[in-house]
Amino acid sequence: MGQVPRALTIAGTDPSGGAGIHADLKTFQELCVYGMSVITAVVSQNTLGVKTFLDMPLELIESQMDAVYEDIRPNAVKTGMLSQSDVIRLVAQKMKAYNVDNYVMDPVMVAKSGDALLAETAKKELVNELLPLTTIVTPNLPEAEEITGRTIQNVQQMKDAAKQIVDEFGATAVVVKGGHLDDEARDIYYDGSVFDELVASRYDTKHTHGTGCTFSAAITAELAKGTPLRQAVETAKTYITEAIKHPIHLGRGHGPVNHWAYRNRQEGLSRA
Ligand SMILES: Nc1ncnc2c1ncn2[C@@H]1O[C@H](COP(=O)(O)OP(=O)(O)OP(=O)(O)O)[C@@H](O)[C@H]1O
Ligand SMILES: Cc1ncc(CO)c(N)n1
């Protein structure tokens, strides 16, 4: 047997298990990829909101990255919550030093509860230092608005933002997620030459804590397996749609998504 595919997440925590590192590792596992993590911040949060968080010291983030790369090299990497400028600069520097490819950036800025997870002053670092290193970046609408300085209220404006993020800011590809838009869950994919729409039914549910983390983790897992980018995004869309469609009804606020749903669907299909 060849080496198993390996993925790394560099992100913050969620003790209630729905977002951040926890969502990422569950997604890697469900997609049959060996998961590893570097913790940037310990976040006290649950489905109701963020209570407080503490950034890890830079030396500890650096040491965690070295611990991973000196031993078990990941085939793909994602970043989630990076919270402030010096964390972003450090991660960018280590990414370059370790010659990282297959890099998926979820440009986490605000939790579903509305709590800020990225310092206002750090947004430009995310764009200047890390965006040019990405294989793909997955902003939701408010994040795409922050990155581009545009107002985004329809599909054409999503496409214009996608084009700017790739053509001007140097991402290799982008998915602008329309989870916040209208009656359909419509995302726009752009890779510098091809535009594509990923469309799914929009489910009327409050159980959407960690949807963005899960979606970007699923792309990362697929890239780790060697799946071509466009197909990796397609699989991630199916994974997140199934995970939202079959809620597990935990928590008193925005509950977590269902990480078993994708595999249940696959097994159902293979039995059919
Ligand atoms: N209610 C819904 N029904 C179906 N799909 C949805 C729904 N909400 C979001 N999605 C899809 O889930 C994926 C994640 O999108 P979303 O915009 O929710 O991410 P996000 O805002 O970054 O999440 P997070 O709260 O983790 O930051 C996208 O593919 C989006 O279209
Ligand atoms: C640690 C962490 N990352 C990302 C999000 C966004 O959902 C969150 N709530 N918590």
Side-chain angles (χ1 to χ4, degrees):
M1 182 176 150
Q3 280 209 314
V4 296
R6 305 157 307 276
L8 170 66
T9 170
I10 304 171
T13 67
D14 173 3
S16 69
I21 292 274
H22 307 258
D24 296 341
L25 290 176
K26 289 174 190 183
T27 307
F28 294 164
Q29 185 72 18
E30 283 300 313
L31 289 170
C32 302
V33 169
Y34 179 80
M36 301 182 280
S37 63
V38 166
I39 294 175
T40 56
V42 174
V43 187
S44 172
Q45 63 172 318
N46 57 24
T47 67
L48 297 166
V50 175
K51 293 174 187 287
T52 182
F53 68 81
L54 179 68
D55 290 321
M56 291 296 98
L58 289 182
E59 315 79 74
L60 194 53
I61 297 173
E62 180 166 25
S63 172
Q64 290 178 79
M65 285 195 72
D66 291 337
V68 172
Y69 276 93
E70 284 164 6
D71 195 16
I72 305 176
R73 192 179 165 86
N75 306 102
V77 183
K78 73 156 270 189
T79 56
M81 177 186 179
L82 298 172
S83 91
Q84 49 164 302
S85 301
D86 49 6
V87 176
I88 293 168
R89 282 196 294 269
L90 169 70
V91 169
Q93 179 208 320
K94 300 302 281 186
M95 294 271 208
K96 287 180 202 154
Y98 285 117
N99 215 359
V100 166
D101 57 0
N102 290 328
Y103 166 36
V104 180
M105 182 207 281
D106 182 9
V108 172
M109 296 183 185
V110 176
K112 205 125 270 167
S113 52
D115 300 280
L117 297 175
L118 178 69
E120 198 55 43
T121 50
K123 288 175 183 165
K124 66 176 187 312
E125 252 91 21
L126 207 61
V127 175
N128 295 338
E129 303 284 330
L130 272 175
L131 205 55
L133 306 182
T134 57
T135 304
I136 189 162
V137 56
T138 61
N140 60 25
L141 288 193
E143 289 158 355
E145 290 188 324
E146 280 288 345
I147 292 169
T148 60
R150 294 166 180 268
T151 302
I152 309 173
Q153 287 167 339
N154 56 45
V155 170
Q156 187 54 50
Q157 289 170 342
M158 288 169 77
K159 286 186 175 171
D160 293 342
K163 201 160 167 35
Q164 186 178 359
I165 288 169
V166 172
D167 295 351
E168 257 179 60
F169 298 144
T172 307
V174 62
V175 178
V176 179
K177 298 172 294 187
H180 298 67
L181 200 56
D182 53 22
D183 53 336
E184 282 187 307
R186 185 186 303 273
D187 309 329
I188 300 297
Y189 169 90
Y190 177 63
D191 63 9
S193 54
V194 175
F195 274 110
D196 226 331
E197 292 190 14
L198 299 131
V199 189
S201 303
R202 187 185 164 77
Y203 297 100
D204 185 15
T205 172
K206 61 177 187 152
H207 298 290
T208 53
H209 181 51
T211 47
C213 308
T214 301
F215 179 68
S216 56
I219 298 174
T220 312
E222 287 302 311
L223 291 181
K225 290 192 269 191
T227 306
L229 183 59
R230 180 66 191 79
Q231 202 182 318
V233 170
E234 198 71 57
T235 298
K237 181 70 175 174
T238 305
Y239 187 103
I240 191 61
T241 303
E242 290 299 309
I244 293 171
K245 185 177 174 184
H246 303 282
I248 47 177
H249 302 290
L250 291 175
R252 294 189 290 125
H254 292 292
V257 300
N258 179 355
H259 287 273
W260 295 292
Y262 179 76
R263 191 145 45 104
N264 285 345
R265 177 179 190 267
Q266 300 302 101
E267 286 172 4
L269 286 179
S270 67
R271 276 198 299 270

Short mmCIF file of all heavy atoms in Angstrom, two decimals, residues 1 66 75 78 131 137 148 175 185 213 248 259:
data_model
loop_
_atom_site.label_atom_id
_atom_site.label_comp_id
_atom_site.label_asym_id
_atom_site.label_seq_id
_atom_site.Cartn_x
_atom_site.Cartn_y
_atom_site.Cartn_z
N MET A 1 0.84 -1.20 0.00
CA MET A 1 0.00 0.00 0.00
C MET A 1 0.88 1.25 0.00
O MET A 1 1.83 1.35 0.75
CB MET A 1 -0.87 -0.04 1.26
CG MET A 1 -1.84 1.12 1.37
SD MET A 1 -2.87 0.89 2.85
CE MET A 1 -3.21 2.56 3.30
N ASP A 66 6.99 23.41 12.15
CA ASP A 66 8.24 22.65 11.98
C ASP A 66 8.02 21.18 12.37
O ASP A 66 8.50 20.28 11.68
CB ASP A 66 9.36 23.26 12.83
CG ASP A 66 9.79 24.63 12.31
OD1 ASP A 66 9.57 24.91 11.12
OD2 ASP A 66 10.32 25.42 13.11
N ASN A 75 0.19 16.61 1.85
CA ASN A 75 0.03 16.77 0.40
C ASN A 75 -0.78 18.02 0.06
O ASN A 75 -0.78 18.47 -1.08
CB ASN A 75 -0.71 15.57 -0.21
CG ASN A 75 -0.06 14.26 0.14
OD1 ASN A 75 -0.51 13.53 1.02
ND2 ASN A 75 1.04 13.97 -0.54
N LYS A 78 -4.57 23.76 4.42
CA LYS A 78 -5.53 24.86 4.43
C LYS A 78 -5.24 25.77 5.60
O LYS A 78 -4.71 25.34 6.62
CB LYS A 78 -6.99 24.37 4.47
CG LYS A 78 -7.45 23.81 5.77
CD LYS A 78 -8.99 23.90 5.92
CE LYS A 78 -9.41 25.20 6.56
NZ LYS A 78 -10.86 25.24 6.90
N LEU A 131 -2.55 35.57 -0.09
CA LEU A 131 -3.39 35.30 -1.27
C LEU A 131 -2.58 34.86 -2.50
O LEU A 131 -2.97 33.90 -3.17
CB LEU A 131 -4.24 36.55 -1.58
CG LEU A 131 -5.54 36.32 -2.34
CD1 LEU A 131 -6.42 35.32 -1.63
CD2 LEU A 131 -6.27 37.63 -2.54
N VAL A 137 -8.83 30.13 -3.05
CA VAL A 137 -9.31 30.86 -1.87
C VAL A 137 -10.84 30.83 -1.91
O VAL A 137 -11.43 30.87 -2.98
CB VAL A 137 -8.74 32.30 -1.85
CG1 VAL A 137 -9.06 33.07 -3.12
CG2 VAL A 137 -9.21 33.08 -0.62
N THR A 148 -12.02 42.75 -1.99
CA THR A 148 -12.03 43.52 -3.25
C THR A 148 -12.44 44.98 -3.07
O THR A 148 -12.22 45.79 -3.98
CB THR A 148 -13.02 42.88 -4.25
OG1 THR A 148 -14.33 42.91 -3.66
CG2 THR A 148 -12.63 41.45 -4.58
N VAL A 175 -13.30 30.36 -5.19
CA VAL A 175 -14.75 30.11 -5.16
C VAL A 175 -15.35 31.20 -4.30
O VAL A 175 -15.03 31.30 -3.10
CB VAL A 175 -15.12 28.75 -4.53
CG1 VAL A 175 -16.65 28.59 -4.49
CG2 VAL A 175 -14.53 27.60 -5.31
N ALA A 185 -28.16 28.04 -3.13
CA ALA A 185 -26.79 28.11 -2.62
C ALA A 185 -25.88 28.07 -3.85
O ALA A 185 -25.46 27.01 -4.30
CB ALA A 185 -26.51 26.95 -1.69
N CYS A 213 -15.63 26.35 6.96
CA CYS A 213 -14.47 25.54 7.34
C CYS A 213 -14.56 24.17 6.66
O CYS A 213 -13.58 23.67 6.09
CB CYS A 213 -14.43 25.31 8.86
SG CYS A 213 -14.53 26.80 9.84
N ILE A 248 -27.98 17.45 12.47
CA ILE A 248 -27.96 16.54 13.63
C ILE A 248 -28.53 17.22 14.88
O ILE A 248 -28.56 16.62 15.95
CB ILE A 248 -26.53 15.99 13.91
CG1 ILE A 248 -25.49 17.10 13.87
CG2 ILE A 248 -26.18 14.89 12.91
CD1 ILE A 248 -24.08 16.64 14.20
N HIS A 259 -21.28 15.50 9.54
CA HIS A 259 -20.13 14.97 8.79
C HIS A 259 -20.32 13.53 8.34
O HIS A 259 -19.51 13.03 7.58
CB HIS A 259 -18.84 15.12 9.61
CG HIS A 259 -18.38 16.53 9.69
ND1 HIS A 259 -17.58 17.11 8.74
CD2 HIS A 259 -18.66 17.51 10.58
CE1 HIS A 259 -17.36 18.37 9.05
NE2 HIS A 259 -18.01 18.64 10.16
#
